[in-house]
Amino acid sequence: DTKESLIPEPVKIAQQGLCKDFVEGLVPIPQDEKIKCSDTICCARQETVEKIEDTRKFISNSNEYLLIVDAARSPEAQREAFLDFLAGGAVACGPLDIADKNELAKKVPDAETKLERINLAENWLSQNEPQTLEILNNLPSYSHCRHIQGRALDVQLQIGKSDNNIINLRNLMCEAGWANYGGEWWHYEYLTSGYERAKK
């Protein structure tokens, strides 16, 4: 995820349906032997789902399938992903009001597991930078994040039961018209504000 100066989409949370607790306007991603989700239900924007369906024809090997590890996130899940990042986890989009997330991450000690990282970051911030924790707890400030908007996927290309193949994944996704977020081989976007630049 990247942080850009753009007007965030309003955060209205769906109260019912399969994509409940995500932002409104998301739909479930259909799953079968070629497209699978780590979660029981994965949600995304309609145009993102249509691009996933279009990607299906680029999966040629009969043993291959696209595993969606993460699609849309709830604002709370994005907050947890950012706390995880601060304590040594994978890069994650943060609230608009954080000036430099990398500088902040240098201050927060690292931990081993995701749950430990989330708890450590939250505790450290509450003791050392409570005003920053207040910013992190403002869930609408994550509305610019691609996963919140349902416009990004974290994916792996699985071949039978073998590990993911990063080069083949990149070739497949780029040929299908996705843009890779540099620095995260697993993160692909479609029709985001940085989509055209990322494609170049």
Side-chain angles (χ1 to χ4, degrees):
D1 290 68
T2 59
K3 181 175 139 184
E4 296 177 5
S5 58
L6 45 101
I7 299 168
E9 295 181 12
V11 176
K12 293 181 184 169
I13 304 301
Q15 301 301 313
Q16 57 188 1
L18 292 174
C19 296
K20 180 180 183 247
D21 299 327
F22 296 106
V23 296
E24 285 184 348
L26 304 185
V27 297
I29 299 169
Q31 299 181 52
D32 60 18
E33 71 283 347
K34 290 293 180 189
I35 306 289
K36 300 180 183 184
C37 291
S38 292
D39 297 325
T40 307
I41 301 287
C42 287
C43 297
R45 290 255 173 238
Q46 181 63 44
E47 59 270 23
T48 306
V49 172
E50 288 169 7
K51 179 50 81 175
I52 294 166
E53 287 299 305
D54 184 54
T55 302
R56 182 184 303 277
K57 68 185 174 201
F58 294 91
I59 304 171
S60 54
N61 185 324
S62 61
N63 287 355
E64 284 181 340
Y65 63 92
L66 193 65
L67 178 64
I68 300 170
V69 178
D70 203 4
R73 292 180 188 151
S74 68
E76 178 57 33
Q78 187 63 49
R79 175 188 167 274
E80 289 181 356
F82 188 67
L83 286 167
D84 175 57
F85 157 71
L86 290 178
V91 175
C93 178
L96 280 170
D97 297 330
I98 296 295
D100 188 336
K101 70 180 185 181
N102 294 315
E103 283 302 311
L104 180 60
K106 288 177 186 175
K107 298 179 190 176
V108 179
D110 288 353
E112 290 295 317
T113 69
K114 183 173 183 176
L115 184 58
E116 288 172 348
R117 288 191 293 266
I118 291 168
N119 290 334
L120 185 142
E122 201 162 27
N123 291 335
W124 187 90
L125 289 167
S126 69
Q127 292 171 16
N128 298 284
E129 294 196 24
Q131 70 284 359
T132 302
L133 183 58
E134 206 171 297
I135 293 169
L136 266 61
N137 290 339
N138 178 19
L139 297 181
S141 69
Y142 294 90
S143 63
H144 66 288
C145 296
R146 310 304 207 258
H147 281 287
I148 294 274
Q149 296 172 357
R151 299 183 189 282
L153 301 175
D154 292 344
V155 294
Q156 296 177 2
L157 183 62
Q158 298 294 127
I159 304 173
K161 296 186 179 189
S162 71
D163 292 339
N164 53 294
N165 186 316
I166 296 169
I167 295 170
N168 287 345
L169 172 69
R170 183 178 178 84
N171 291 342
L172 181 145
M173 295 297 280
C174 292
E175 187 179 0
W178 295 87
N180 177 244
Y181 171 60
E184 296 182 2
W185 61 261
W186 58 87
H187 180 106
Y188 287 86
E189 302 179 358
Y190 181 63
L191 298 183
T192 60
S193 60
Y195 173 75
E196 290 302 329
R197 187 177 70 246
K199 293 251 319 164
K200 291 175 186 173

